Amino acid sequence: MAKRSHDFSLVRYHTTRHTTLTKAMKRYPLAMVSKLAGHASIQITADRYGHLSADDLVEMVDGLAA
C-alpha cells in the first residue's frame, strides 16, 4: 500500500464538530441534534446548522417530482 501523507494542521475541534452536526441535521430530528450539541434550545441549533446546500434543494425537488 502506498504511504499517504495528510496535513491535519488546519483541522480543529470546531471544524469536526460543525461537520458532524451538519451531517446529523440531515438524518436526525432537530431536538436530538440539539441535545447532542449541548445547546440551550433547538432554535440555536437550527440557526447554526440548519443551512441548506444546493444539493439538498435538488434532492427535495426530485423527491417531490417522483
Side-chain angles (χ1 to χ4, degrees):
M1 244 185 172
K3 186 176 180 181
R4 293 183 182 178
S5 177
H6 298 284
D7 180 12
F8 292 106
S9 64
L10 297 177
V11 176
R12 304 280 190 264
Y13 169 76
H14 178 76
T15 304
T16 57
R17 173 184 166 86
H18 186 79
T19 300
T20 300
L21 293 173
T22 299
K23 287 182 176 185
M25 288 285 293
K26 294 180 181 188
R27 297 186 62 192
Y28 299 100
L30 179 59
M32 289 178 68
V33 177
S34 184
K35 177 84 76 179
L36 177 66
H39 292 152
S41 72
I42 61 171
Q43 188 61 50
I44 294 169
T45 308
D47 290 345
R48 290 224 174 102
Y49 300 101
H51 52 277
L52 297 172
S53 71
D55 291 340
D56 295 329
L57 295 173
V58 168
E59 184 178 320
M60 181 183 73
V61 171
D62 287 346
L64 292 171

